[in-house]
Structures are given as C-alpha cells and as structure tokens.
Amino acid sequence: MPGKERRKDKSGKMLKMGESQRKDGYYTYRWTSRNGKRHCVTAKSLSELREKEAEIQKDTSDGIRADIQSITVNDIYALWRNMKRGLKDNTFQNYQYMYGMFVEPDLGKLKITALKKSDIKRFYNCLAEERGLKVSTIDSIHTVLHQVLDTAVDDGYLRHNPSDNVLKELKLRT
C-alpha cells in the first residue's frame, strides 16, 4: 500500500503486528487472549521477543493457555480438590493430608508453567533420601500429584503431565 508506512524500531528493523519498542530500548509484544484480556511480554532484543511470540503462538494453537503465567501447582490442586468426586471420605482425607503435608509447602509453590519432570524427580528423591519416606508413602503422594497435574493438562495449563513415569525409577532403585 503506497500511503501506509510500516513501523520500525530504532535501528530500522521492521516490526510485526503487536510489537513495539519502548524508549528504554526494550521490545514488547501485546496480544489478546481468547477471554478478551490483554497481555504483554517484554524482551531486551527483538530476536528474544520473537522467540517468546513464537512460544505464545504455539501454545495458543495447541490450546495451551498463554495467560496463566502466575498459576501455581497449589492453585491447580485447589481446582482439583473442588471438582473431585466419587472417592470414599477416608481416601479423600488421606489425599488432602498427603498433598498438604508434602507437596503444598515446596513443590506446590512452583508456577505450573515452570514445572519440569526433573522437578518431580528431585522432589521424590528428596522425600526418599532426606525425609526418609518409604516408597509406598511416596506412591500415595504421587497418586494425588499425578491427578492434580492431569487436571492441569485437561484444562490447557500444560501440554503433558511432568509426573508421568517418574515414580518407576524410584521403585526400581528399592
């Protein structure tokens, strides 16, 4: 279009839709999530910003929610706990105790988007080696944690469950 000029940054690089450069030199990308909320990410360089953009767009196309950066494992647990039905009262009480006693204080505070399989492995190893828990107790903790993380996958917070197959290794060592 002859009359329309494309936006550029301070060094003359073309900026894409939603991109801008602040006065301090940082780049920002703004987008609207499917619930209508506006979001923004910032980066020092245009290439770093475009990596973040690509990640957001991939998450969006895969149905992963890009607007949940502050959601923790404990937040997903609260969601799971409120929806869980069909358990005997004693079983549900045991699940709540296991989660509250072992997961909530440490692992539960991690952001759901930052949770990795290695975090779960480290957590289980710590429970076994430092806290001296038996594999059967860790298995009970895993049962709850795995269900909570399945809820995160089902609701689009995670692509896959990072606790899948983690307990197998611990069981093999004993």
Side-chain angles (χ1 to χ4, degrees):
M1 299 172 90
K4 190 172 183 184
E5 197 172 315
R6 296 283 312 257
R7 293 179 321 108
K8 297 178 182 178
D9 69 1
K10 291 176 184 173
S11 62
K13 294 178 187 165
M14 294 293 237
L15 295 175
K16 295 179 183 177
M17 183 79 142
E19 295 177 343
S20 61
Q21 187 176 28
R22 301 185 325 199
K23 288 181 182 177
D24 64 4
Y26 277 76
Y27 292 88
T28 60
Y29 172 66
R30 297 183 197 300
W31 80 99
T32 305
S33 58
R34 63 181 189 176
N35 65 1
K37 284 181 100 178
R38 297 278 295 153
H39 302 277
C40 179
V41 291
T42 306
K44 286 183 179 181
S45 69
L46 190 56
S47 61
E48 182 185 340
L49 182 73
R50 291 201 171 146
E51 284 176 22
K52 289 181 179 184
E53 276 181 67
E55 202 173 292
I56 291 164
Q57 290 165 353
K58 180 168 178 23
D59 285 348
T60 302
S61 70
D62 290 349
I64 303 297
R65 298 170 62 165
D67 59 331
I68 46 103
Q69 299 305 317
S70 63
I71 302 288
T72 65
V73 176
N74 285 339
D75 295 330
I76 301 297
Y77 168 73
L79 177 68
W80 172 85
R81 188 183 66 229
N82 290 332
M83 294 185 323
K84 192 65 179 169
R85 299 290 179 269
L87 291 176
K88 291 182 180 175
D89 190 50
N90 195 34
T91 303
F92 191 59
Q93 295 295 327
N94 185 45
Y95 283 176
Q96 290 182 86
Y97 170 78
M98 289 297 184
Y99 188 91
M101 186 72 181
F102 300 106
V103 181
E104 186 176 13
D106 299 312
L107 192 74
K109 293 179 181 172
L110 290 179
K111 292 183 178 173
I112 195 75
T113 54
L115 191 64
K116 305 285 181 230
K117 189 172 269 236
S118 60
D119 295 323
I120 307 286
K121 284 182 184 179
R122 198 175 304 112
F123 173 65
Y124 289 164
N125 289 339
C126 175
L127 290 176
E129 294 162 8
E130 294 175 24
R131 294 187 73 177
L133 297 181
K134 295 184 176 174
V135 173
S136 60
T137 305
I138 297 170
D139 193 19
S140 295
I141 295 165
H142 173 77
T143 299
V144 181
L145 184 58
H146 193 268
Q147 290 179 37
V148 169
L149 296 176
D150 272 346
T151 300
V153 172
D154 292 345
D155 282 2
Y157 293 101
L158 294 172
R159 247 184 247 314
H160 58 85
N161 189 332
S163 70
D164 283 346
N165 301 318
V166 173
L167 198 59
K168 282 183 184 177
E169 293 177 29
L170 189 63
K171 285 181 176 180
L172 291 174
R173 290 191 298 180
T174 57

